[in-house]
Amino acid sequence: MLLPERQAEMRELATALTDGSRDRKFVITRIRQLIKFEEKSAEGSQATIDRSEHAHVKKSGQAALANRRATIEALRNAASAIKDRRDYSLAAEFLVEAANCGGKKSVKAARKAPTVA
């Protein structure tokens, strides 16, 4: 699952918690799956950092890794708020926080004229 899809699902789960459209067991299961996706993404970022010799690649990889770690922490906090405290509004806040700390891919500017070799 790609980052924008994961972020969208985190926001959907936050909405589902606040409006009661999903039960707590479903939300916790999805949060656990999202954590696994985030951990896999973090491993990929670390692998990119380890194998690259370019400073700019390492720097962007470190930023991506920090975003993944922050997202995982927020997701774990959301699951804890649901399981331990049954505080759904707090869990929804953590889910939105997780979605927002994900970072974003840079979008290349569209060229106005074709490149001439």
Side-chain angles (χ1 to χ4, degrees), residues 17 78 80-92 94:
L17 274 175
S80 176
I82 295 168
K83 289 190 300 189
D84 300 339
R85 295 182 226 123
R86 296 190 189 270
D87 188 343
Y88 300 142
S89 62
L90 180 61
F94 280 126

Side-chain angles (χ1 to χ4, degrees), residues 60-75:
S60 65
Q62 290 288 352
L65 186 57
N67 287 338
R68 298 289 63 76
R69 288 179 177 157
T71 302
I72 291 167
E73 182 68 23
L75 288 171

Side-chain angles (χ1 to χ4, degrees), residues 48-67:
T48 299
I49 293 165
D50 293 343
R51 86 175 153 256
S52 179
E53 297 176 11
H54 302 286
H56 69 281
V57 174
K58 288 182 180 279
K59 185 177 178 183
S60 65
Q62 290 288 352
L65 186 57
N67 287 338

Side-chain angles (χ1 to χ4, degrees), residues 6-7 10 13 16 19 23-24 29 35 50 52 54-55 64 67 71 83 97-98 102 104 106 111:
R6 294 193 310 262
Q7 290 172 322
M10 291 173 207
L13 290 174
D19 68 13
D23 67 341
R24 133 187 134 91
T29 301
I35 290 171
D50 293 343
S52 179
H54 302 286
N67 287 338
T71 302
K83 289 190 300 189
E97 177 186 329
K104 58 185 179 283
S106 62
R111 292 192 172 118

